[in-house]
Amino acid sequence: LAILLLTACSSKKNISDVLQNKYEIRTISNNFYLPAIDLEKDYLKEILLLLHYNFTAEKIKEHFDMNDSIYNIRINYLFGEGLIKKTNSGDFAPTCMIIDADEGKIIKNTADSLGREMSGIAIDRMGKIKEAYSKITTFKNIPFENASLFILGNVMHNYWQIKFIEEKYIKSFPPQRGSSRYYLALLQSQNGNNSEPFGLFNNRFKKIGSYTINLYGDRFNGEIPSYTEKELDNLFRTKNSTLLLVKESDQKKLEEVALIITQDLLNYLERNRPLFVKLYLNSVYKDQTSFREWFIWFYQFIITQTNKTLIEKGFIKKFSSGSVEVILEK
């Protein structure tokens, strides 16, 4: 228990120690949204990192050779986007999640055991899940195992499920940031081989005309495949059975599939609410991000282990590419 409740933010000797590690930006939203803000420019990502580790404005300005005017412009921009807040002491702190290797290890200590346990919910409902899948017209020629990562990973536990967790468990929408709502995290890169930080199963979306390309997995080989809208029109007309193509008329059915385990999932999370609250209150994040955002990212660690367990037990077929591609008609 003492290990689980350790304060996550380890001490750093200096700014160079923090910035020598690479961090990747990940977002979660409920509308395939990618934020307009570009944190890779003007040292915005670096400022968020350093505020997380409680470096003073003077230290940050000195390191980047910024004058007061430029620094204030950067801070005001981050503040306007809802990515930082002013604390009671008058300093600024990030409102998004920033997870380094040490903090990720602490999160995984608890999330992995919860994820293994939670996999039993989908296993118990596997018959109903497969029956509902068989009734989705656009999947009629695709064996369940070929769509298992998408259905059991993304639909049952992630993108199509999170809206119900927001409504019924955290009872809140994603935080308002700029003109939209989304959760954001900076995650320290771990290994190469195109693996996601901490091995998390992640969504990538790309809009092309009236379609959305969705990749879901823990490893991505290159960018999202490039199609023209005309090529996608042809795919849907010819009903190509080698790709997961989801017509707009069938997308509501994905929510219905997710709902098969929603109540059991909510019950499980509710039973563990005291643990989640305790972990949050004993972490560095309690003075920075909200419980809802902390929980959404903690939940990503949980369901990553859920996916791994379902893969180990043969319920999810893992592709050599590490991800599955789905094309959604909108």
Side-chain angles (χ1 to χ4, degrees):
L1 182 60
I3 294 175
L4 299 180
L5 301 181
L6 282 174
T7 300
C9 191
S10 57
S11 61
K12 301 290 179 180
K13 290 182 179 180
N14 54 53
I15 287 178
S16 296
D17 289 337
V18 173
L19 298 184
Q20 71 179 350
N21 296 315
K22 181 181 178 183
Y23 284 79
E24 299 187 30
I25 302 164
R26 295 292 181 265
T27 58
I28 298 171
S29 72
N30 55 15
N31 60 354
F32 310 130
Y33 175 75
L34 294 176
I37 185 172
D38 184 1
L39 294 177
E40 298 288 359
K41 68 177 185 179
D42 299 328
Y43 303 115
L44 295 176
K45 181 170 73 173
E46 289 78 5
I47 291 173
L48 282 174
L49 287 169
L50 297 177
L51 291 176
H52 173 66
Y53 291 111
N54 300 313
F55 286 99
T56 65
E58 292 305 316
K59 287 287 186 182
I60 297 172
K61 286 185 287 186
E62 178 184 354
H63 182 83
F64 294 116
D65 194 24
M66 288 183 189
N67 58 36
D68 291 344
S69 177
I70 295 298
Y71 180 75
N72 289 336
I73 289 173
R74 305 287 183 261
I75 287 294
N76 288 336
Y77 185 39
L78 291 170
F79 186 82
E81 288 292 318
L83 289 169
I84 61 174
K85 66 179 181 181
K86 203 163 191 177
T87 65
N88 293 334
S89 62
D91 299 319
F92 287 96
T95 59
C96 58
M97 286 287 282
I98 296 172
I99 307 176
D100 67 17
D102 292 334
E103 293 157 353
K105 185 176 181 180
I106 291 170
I107 291 172
K108 280 176 62 63
N109 279 339
T110 307
D112 283 359
S113 60
L114 293 171
R116 280 189 289 271
E117 189 175 59
M118 202 171 75
S119 67
I121 296 173
I123 293 172
D124 288 344
R125 300 289 182 271
M126 196 61 63
K128 290 184 178 180
I129 294 169
K130 289 184 177 181
E131 181 183 0
Y133 172 84
S134 69
K135 295 177 180 177
I136 301 177
T137 305
T138 49
F139 289 160
K140 66 180 181 180
N141 294 321
I142 300 189
F144 180 81
E145 67 171 9
N146 290 357
S148 57
L149 177 57
F150 173 65
I151 296 296
L152 296 177
N154 208 8
V155 175
M156 304 308 298
H157 295 100
N158 208 328
Y159 184 86
W160 278 265
Q161 188 68 256
I162 281 181
K163 66 174 290 184
F164 302 122
I165 292 174
E166 288 176 334
E167 291 172 3
K168 304 294 185 179
Y169 183 74
I170 57 178
K171 299 179 181 179
S172 178
F173 295 108
Q176 184 74 46
R177 288 185 166 137
S179 60
S180 193
R181 292 181 175 273
Y182 60 94
Y183 307 97
L184 185 142
L186 302 184
L187 307 169
Q188 184 177 336
S189 298
Q190 303 295 295
N191 303 313
N193 302 320
N194 302 311
S195 296
E196 283 294 285
F198 304 106
L200 294 179
F201 281 76
N202 180 49
N203 270 301
R204 292 190 182 184
F205 297 105
K206 181 178 181 180
K207 286 185 176 292
I208 300 176
S210 58
Y211 301 94
T212 297
I213 311 300
N214 170 221
L215 291 185
Y216 180 73
D218 62 354
R219 191 171 71 257
F220 298 94
N221 295 320
E223 297 299 318
I224 295 177
S226 180
Y227 299 94
T228 66
E229 188 170 12
K230 185 176 181 179
E231 287 173 331
L232 294 175
D233 286 339
N234 289 334
L235 283 176
F236 274 84
R237 269 199 303 271
T238 58
K239 300 178 181 179
N240 188 324
S241 62
T242 64
L243 290 172
L244 299 179
L245 309 175
V246 186
K247 290 186 176 181
E248 186 172 12
S249 58
D250 277 339
Q251 288 182 42
K252 185 66 178 176
K253 293 180 181 178
L254 294 179
E255 288 189 8
E256 295 172 2
V257 174
L259 280 167
I260 291 172
I261 70 166
T262 296
Q263 192 55 57
D264 289 331
L265 198 60
L266 291 172
N267 292 342
Y268 181 80
L269 296 176
E270 196 60 54
R271 287 198 302 273
N272 284 284
R273 186 185 290 272
L275 172 62
F276 298 144
V277 172
K278 193 170 188 178
L279 290 170
Y280 170 71
L281 293 177
N282 284 277
S283 75
V284 66
Y285 301 109
K286 73 179 178 65
D287 295 321
Q288 297 185 3
T289 190
S290 63
F291 175 79
R292 62 177 168 174
E293 184 142 12
W294 174 90
F295 175 78
I296 285 294
W297 289 105
F298 190 89
Y299 177 74
Q300 293 299 309
F301 280 80
I302 293 175
I303 61 177
T304 286
Q305 185 57 53
T306 295
N307 286 348
K308 289 179 179 178
T309 302
L310 292 172
I311 290 169
E312 291 165 3
K313 293 186 176 182
F315 293 100
I316 288 179
K317 176 184 177 181
K318 186 71 179 295
F319 295 93
S320 58
S321 64
S323 60
V324 60
E325 176 185 343
V326 181
I327 302 174
L328 304 160
E329 180 186 49
K330 278 292 185 182

